């Protein structure tokens, strides 16, 4: 196989040089022809030169269909590139005179028969050019025909038929138990439609899957087609819309015609919001290309025509922008929410993606699932893939918990900035800031568990605190939200108490705290203003729908909303201050440990709180070792400037 590829590559590489050589030879030939100096003589001049013995070379060409001889040759005094040409009467007397002169004058004399008499030359000169013209004309005609054909296919559907090689079944879909139950009826109908028709039941014509990105909507649609074993057409919503008006509608019609010929079948439209957005949402409105495409889709799904045996599955993460006509019964009859997986679902998803990976004995997928709330299926797949890449980069033969921890941090915050240089003052500020978050998390009753604290910068953060809820809840209580705000304010509070100074490091904490407090007042009714909703969760603005949106409260109420938000934040800040002041020793203990180890895990934090000191360093685990111990090892190995290097630099020097 490789030899064939190499031969093809060599041939392709030689072709330009061969073509260039032919051009160069042609140029040389033309150059030589143009450089020849040919003197044309009349018959009388030729006879005069012949009688005066001026001719040194002579060639006579006789042509069967001509009435003259063609004479070429050289005269005395000619240069190498100089010659003469003359036309002589076709008679025996002329030829006898030339033969007699050649015998007496002894110049070089040759005769050449008619070159056109050669059949090969005749074909080469007369027939070959004609054939070449015919071939070129045929090629040009076919090319034009192919161009016209592609332009005729402009309105054809771009829906592609899925191949059996990429068949997906419900075994490949984890963590969507209820969603799979909902779509099983579609499979039963496609396999045995008479069972439903017997009782007069009508299967849904369309199923809309909506939910956050990466939750498995497309995978679920593929699994339905794989389980039903029917033709599966898939297309993106953007494939319908073109610059020219009417093309999208034509593609919709052609897609349904193809589906009718292969019914029963499934059509999957991914990102349907690209074509199914609400009509009339622009300032000018009008029937543009997208709206015409949507109108045709509505008609094909439930209009005057009947499309039996065709089920449409569509996916979007923006159901709020879809046209209401798409969501009515008879079109997308069934709407299935594909939410982020719970802990059990995450564990099942991790088991699917861990099949082809070698995990160390200490890695438990159940614990990993518990530590990753809010992760989608795509996030979990990316997490294990990042862990595998890190294991390869570190020359390990299995994926350990160290790689999974690092991969989790990468997915959440980005890669660690190990080359970032902290001043000692900045390190202390960040350490006490993150320790403040940890203390609040440890001391509040309903707070989340502290899983990890680090002062290694990632992304735009100088450090971060990973906190996981003790149990996943469908709803949050007022106490939960207040304690979450208190935890967010713990970092700033620790800075104030320890240094008597505040920094810009808490800006992201304030952003989150303010958002929660405003939602409590304006959306959840968790303030003295009562159970009223003043605002709704904001989505994308549609000029025709949202531009002139009226405010549902007066300026006085707006002032009261601001006062209630301030009251919530102030109360939480006071509570955080009380907790930090009561636990100054614990704050200092965690901050000092962070300065020494840079990263603390849940197990280390629990040991630290219980025993007042860190566990003994494990000589076999350099990554969990204190920076002081690492510097001692670096000194023993003779590493230069070991006292000024960060933990990440020391680990690199020690080949970890």
């Amino acid at each position: 196989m490789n030899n064939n590829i190499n031969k093809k590559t060599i041939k392709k590489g030689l072709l330009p040089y061969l073509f260039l050589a032919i051009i160069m030879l042609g140029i040389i030939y033309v150059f030589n022809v143009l450089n020849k100096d040919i003197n044309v003589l009349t018959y009388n001049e030729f006879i005069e030169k012949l009688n005066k013995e001026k001719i040194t070379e002579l060639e006579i060409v006789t042509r069967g269909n001509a009435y003259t001889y063609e004479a070429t040759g050289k005269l005395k005094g000619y240069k190498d590139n100089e010659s003469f040409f003359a036309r002589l009467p076709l008679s025996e007397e002329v030829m006898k005179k030339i033969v007699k002169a050649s015998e007496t004058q002894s110049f070089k004399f040759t005769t050449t028969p008619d070159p056109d008499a050669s059949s090969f030359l005749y074909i080469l000169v007369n027939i070959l050019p004609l054939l070449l013209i015919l071939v070129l004309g045929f090629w040009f005609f076919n090319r034009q025909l192919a161009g016209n054909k592609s332009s005729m296919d402009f309105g054809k559907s771009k829906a592609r038929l899925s191949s059996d090689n990429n068949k997906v079944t419900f075994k490949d879909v984890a963590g969507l138990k209820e969603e799979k139950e909902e779509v099983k009826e579609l499979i039963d109908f496609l396999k045995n439609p008479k069972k439903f028709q017997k009782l007069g039941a009508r299967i849904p014509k369309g199923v809309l899957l909506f939910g956050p990105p990466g939750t498995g909507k497309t995978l679920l649609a593929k699994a339905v087609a794989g389980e039903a074993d029917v033709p599966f057409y898939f297309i993106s919503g953007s494939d319908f819309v073109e610059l020219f008006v009417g093309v999208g509608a034509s593609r919709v019609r052609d897609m349904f015609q193809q589906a009718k010929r292969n019914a029963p079948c499934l059509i999957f439209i991914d990102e349907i919001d690209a074509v199914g957005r609400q009509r009339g949402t622009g300032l000018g409105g009008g029937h543009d290309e997208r709206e015409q495409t949507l109108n045709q889709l509505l008609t094909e799904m439930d209009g005057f025509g009947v499309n039996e045996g065709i089920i449409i599955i569509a996916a979007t993460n923006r159901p709020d922008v879809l046209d209401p006509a798409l969501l009515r019964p008879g079109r997308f009859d069934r709407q299935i929410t594909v939410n982020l997986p719970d802990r059990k679902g995450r564990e099942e998803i991790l088991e699917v993606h861990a099949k082809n990976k070698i995990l160390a004995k200490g890695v438990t997928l159940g614990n990993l699932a518990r530590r990753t709330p809010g992760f989608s299926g795509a996030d979990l797949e990316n997490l294990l893939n990042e862990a595998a890449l890190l294991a390869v980069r570190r020359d390990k033969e299995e994926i350990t918990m160290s790689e999974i921890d690092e991969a989790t941090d990468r997915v959440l915050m980005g890669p660690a900035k190990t080359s970032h240089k902290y001043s000692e003052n900045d390190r202390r500020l960040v350490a006490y800031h993150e320790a403040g978050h940890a203390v609040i998390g440890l001391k509040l009753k309903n707070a989340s568990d502290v899983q990890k604290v680090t002062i290694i910068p990632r992304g735009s953060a100088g450090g971060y605190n990973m906190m996981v809820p003790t149990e996943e809840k469908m709803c949050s209580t007022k106490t939960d939200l207040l304690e979450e705000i208190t935890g967010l304010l713990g970092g700033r509070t620790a800075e104030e108490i320890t240094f008597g100074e505040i920094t810009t490091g808490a800006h992201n904490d304030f952003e989150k705290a303010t958002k929660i407090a405003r939602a409590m007042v304006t959306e959840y009714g968790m303030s003295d203003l009562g159970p009223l909703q003043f605002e709704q969760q904001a989505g994308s603005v549609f000029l025709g729908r949202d531009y002139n949106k009226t405010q549902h409260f007066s300026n006085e109420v707006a002032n009261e909303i601001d006062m209630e938000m301030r009251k919530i934040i102030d109360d939480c800040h006071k509570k955080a201050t009380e907790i930090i002041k009561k636990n100054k020793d614990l704050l200092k203990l965690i901050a000092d440990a962070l300065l020494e180890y840079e990263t603390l895990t849940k197990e280390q934090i629990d040991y630290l709180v219980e025993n007042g000191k860190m566990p003994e360093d494990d000589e076999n685990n350099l990554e969990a070792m204190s920076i002081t111990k690492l510097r001692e090892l670096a000194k023993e190995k003779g590493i230069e400037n070991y006292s000024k290097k960060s933990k990440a630099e020391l680990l690199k020097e020690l080949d970890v």
Side-chain angles (χ1 to χ4, degrees):
M1 183 68 181
N2 292 331
N3 292 334
N4 293 335
I5 294 172
N6 292 334
K7 288 179 181 177
K8 289 180 180 178
T9 306
I10 292 170
K11 287 180 180 178
K12 287 182 179 179
L14 290 176
L15 280 176
Y17 296 103
L18 183 62
F19 185 67
L20 182 63
I22 293 171
I23 292 175
M24 293 298 295
L25 289 173
I27 292 172
I28 293 170
Y29 174 77
V30 172
F31 182 77
N32 288 336
V33 170
L34 292 177
N35 277 348
K36 284 187 177 180
D37 190 5
I38 300 175
N39 301 314
V40 180
L41 304 179
T42 64
Y43 172 68
N44 292 330
E45 289 174 340
F46 174 78
I47 295 298
E48 182 182 356
K49 301 294 183 183
L50 185 65
N51 293 333
K52 290 183 178 181
E53 300 182 0
K54 295 288 187 180
I55 296 175
T56 58
E57 291 182 15
L58 181 61
E59 181 182 6
I60 301 295
V61 178
T62 58
R63 297 187 181 275
N65 56 352
Y67 298 97
T68 59
Y69 293 122
E70 294 178 0
T72 57
K74 290 192 175 186
L75 300 178
K76 290 180 179 178
Y78 272 15
K79 298 177 182 177
D80 292 339
N81 64 336
E82 194 175 1
S83 61
F84 70 84
F85 174 81
R87 289 193 178 276
L88 311 178
L90 188 64
S91 66
E92 292 184 7
E93 294 181 2
V94 173
M95 186 56 69
K96 287 180 180 179
K97 187 180 292 187
I98 293 172
V99 172
K100 186 177 179 181
S102 67
E103 292 175 353
T104 56
Q105 298 176 19
S106 301
F107 59 80
K108 186 178 179 182
F109 173 60
T110 56
T111 58
T112 304
D114 186 2
D116 293 340
S118 170
S119 58
F120 174 75
L121 192 60
Y122 178 80
I123 292 171
L124 186 66
V125 175
N126 295 285
I127 299 176
L128 191 61
L130 181 62
L131 288 174
L132 187 60
I133 292 170
L134 289 174
V135 170
L136 288 174
F138 183 73
W139 173 78
F140 182 76
F141 178 76
N142 280 344
R143 187 174 181 183
Q144 290 295 110
L145 189 64
N148 292 333
K149 186 178 179 182
S150 62
S151 63
M152 293 292 289
D153 290 343
F154 194 63
K156 296 292 185 182
S157 170
K158 290 189 175 181
R160 297 176 295 279
L161 187 64
S162 179
S163 63
D164 293 336
N165 297 332
N166 299 323
K167 191 173 181 180
V168 179
T169 63
F170 281 159
K171 293 180 180 179
D172 303 308
V173 182
L176 298 175
K177 184 178 179 181
E178 291 79 10
E179 290 81 355
K180 286 189 283 188
E181 289 293 333
E182 283 290 311
V183 296
K184 273 185 179 179
E185 285 183 0
L186 303 179
I187 301 168
D188 292 340
F189 174 77
L190 292 169
K191 288 183 175 180
N192 188 14
K194 292 182 180 180
K195 182 173 70 172
F196 294 85
Q197 294 166 357
K198 182 179 178 181
L199 296 177
R202 179 182 61 81
I203 200 69
K205 290 187 177 180
V207 177
L208 180 66
L209 306 175
F210 60 88
T215 50
K217 300 182 291 292
T218 304
L219 188 65
L220 183 60
K222 289 181 179 179
V224 172
E227 291 287 339
D229 197 21
V230 295
F232 176 65
Y233 291 93
F234 59 96
I235 190 171
S236 173
S238 60
D239 287 334
F240 291 112
V241 184
E242 288 286 352
L243 174 66
F244 305 105
V245 177
V247 173
S250 174
R251 289 178 177 174
V252 172
R253 287 191 295 270
D254 185 66
M255 180 181 70
F256 276 89
Q257 287 174 3
Q258 290 183 34
K260 284 179 185 177
R261 290 194 291 267
N262 293 281
C265 68
L266 280 170
I267 297 175
F268 175 60
I269 305 176
D270 200 9
E271 305 297 344
I272 195 173
D273 52 279
V275 70
R277 286 175 178 263
Q278 292 183 22
R279 292 167 290 182
T281 52
L283 289 175
H287 296 281
D288 60 4
E289 161 66 354
R290 185 184 56 77
E291 291 193 6
Q292 287 200 23
T293 306
L294 174 58
N295 292 338
Q296 187 63 46
L297 181 61
L298 295 173
T299 304
E300 292 289 345
M301 288 188 70
D302 188 25
F304 291 106
V306 179
N307 291 318
E308 294 293 341
I310 301 174
I311 296 176
I312 300 177
I313 301 178
T316 180
N317 51 17
R318 292 299 311 276
D320 56 307
V321 304
L322 295 180
D323 195 275
L326 266 177
L327 306 179
R328 74 158 175 82
R331 287 180 180 141
F332 283 106
D333 305 81
R334 186 168 296 178
Q335 299 170 27
I336 301 174
T337 304
V338 185
N339 279 321
L340 293 170
D342 57 8
R343 185 177 62 82
K344 185 178 179 182
R346 291 195 297 273
E347 186 174 352
E348 293 175 0
I349 293 170
L350 287 168
E351 287 174 358
V352 170
H353 295 304
K355 285 180 180 177
N356 62 339
K357 294 177 175 62
I358 303 173
L359 301 178
K361 292 181 180 179
V363 178
T364 306
L365 296 180
N367 292 337
L368 181 57
R370 186 175 178 276
R371 297 173 56 186
T372 51
F375 275 51
S376 67
D379 291 332
L380 294 171
E381 180 186 10
N382 187 36
L383 170 65
L384 288 181
N385 185 60
E386 285 288 342
L389 292 174
L390 283 168
V392 173
R393 195 178 303 168
R394 295 173 178 178
D395 293 328
K396 293 186 177 181
E397 296 186 358
E398 57 184 9
I399 302 170
T400 65
M401 206 63 203
S402 173
E403 285 75 45
I404 290 177
D405 280 338
E406 175 67 19
T408 306
D409 295 341
R410 280 172 171 264
V411 172
L412 289 173
M413 304 291 293
K417 296 180 179 179
T418 54
S419 61
H420 187 77
K421 293 292 183 183
Y422 267 141
S423 67
E424 195 58 36
N425 186 47
D426 285 343
R427 289 184 81 246
R428 282 180 55 79
L429 279 169
V430 174
Y432 274 91
H433 181 102
E434 299 303 332
H437 288 305
V439 169
I440 299 293
L442 289 168
K443 293 302 177 181
L444 284 177
K445 182 180 178 182
N446 296 322
S448 301
D449 285 342
V450 179
Q451 293 289 326
K452 186 177 184 179
V453 186
T454 180
I455 60 172
I456 298 174
R458 289 180 183 270
S460 59
Y464 81 98
N465 197 316
M466 182 190 291
M467 302 179 73
V468 177
T470 53
E471 59 180 6
E472 297 183 34
K473 302 177 182 179
M474 291 293 293
C475 299
S476 296
T477 64
K478 182 178 179 180
T479 303
D480 292 336
L481 295 175
L482 289 174
E483 291 194 353
E484 186 174 352
I485 294 174
T486 305
L488 289 168
L489 299 176
R492 165 60 68 87
T493 306
E495 293 176 12
E496 292 172 340
I497 293 173
T498 306
F499 302 101
E501 187 63 84
I502 55 177
T503 68
T504 60
H507 69 95
N508 187 248
D509 297 332
F510 295 156
E511 180 184 347
K512 293 177 182 177
T514 305
K515 186 177 179 181
I516 296 170
R518 188 167 190 86
M520 289 176 67
V521 177
T522 61
E523 295 180 38
Y524 307 144
M526 295 179 177
S527 70
D528 293 340
L529 293 178
L532 296 173
Q533 188 177 63
F534 300 102
E535 293 177 354
Q536 296 177 347
Q537 290 186 357
S540 298
V541 175
F542 284 82
L543 290 178
R545 187 187 71 188
D546 297 338
Y547 189 70
N548 295 320
K549 186 171 63 175
T550 58
Q551 189 171 291
H552 297 297
F553 48 85
S554 64
N555 291 332
E556 289 79 7
V557 174
N559 183 57
E560 290 183 31
I561 290 172
D562 292 340
M563 295 298 292
E564 287 294 323
M565 288 174 56
R566 183 181 294 276
K567 181 182 176 183
I568 290 172
I569 296 294
D570 286 344
D571 289 345
C572 291
H573 185 249
K574 288 178 183 177
K575 190 173 183 180
T577 303
E578 292 175 5
I579 294 172
I580 294 294
K581 284 183 176 179
K582 285 182 181 179
N583 297 277
K584 273 189 174 182
D585 293 339
L586 180 60
L587 177 72
K588 185 177 185 304
L589 189 65
I590 295 175
D592 290 343
L594 281 171
L595 290 169
E596 188 70 18
Y597 288 83
E598 292 189 344
T599 300
L600 300 178
T601 63
K602 176 177 171 54
E603 293 76 15
Q604 289 174 320
I605 294 171
D606 291 342
Y607 188 92
L608 186 65
V609 172
E610 186 176 345
N611 299 283
K613 63 178 183 178
M614 288 290 290
E616 294 295 329
D617 289 333
D618 183 3
E619 297 289 341
N620 297 321
N621 187 4
L622 295 181
E623 293 177 358
M625 193 176 288
S626 67
I627 193 168
T628 303
K629 189 67 176 177
L630 285 174
R631 283 172 178 167
E632 290 177 4
L633 290 176
K635 182 181 179 181
E636 291 175 6
K637 290 196 173 186
I639 296 175
E640 297 180 357
N641 298 322
Y642 63 88
S643 60
K644 297 180 180 179
K645 292 184 178 180
S646 65
K647 185 175 181 179
E649 291 173 325
L650 289 171
L651 289 172
K652 190 175 181 181
E653 293 281 349
L654 294 167
D655 295 330
V656 176

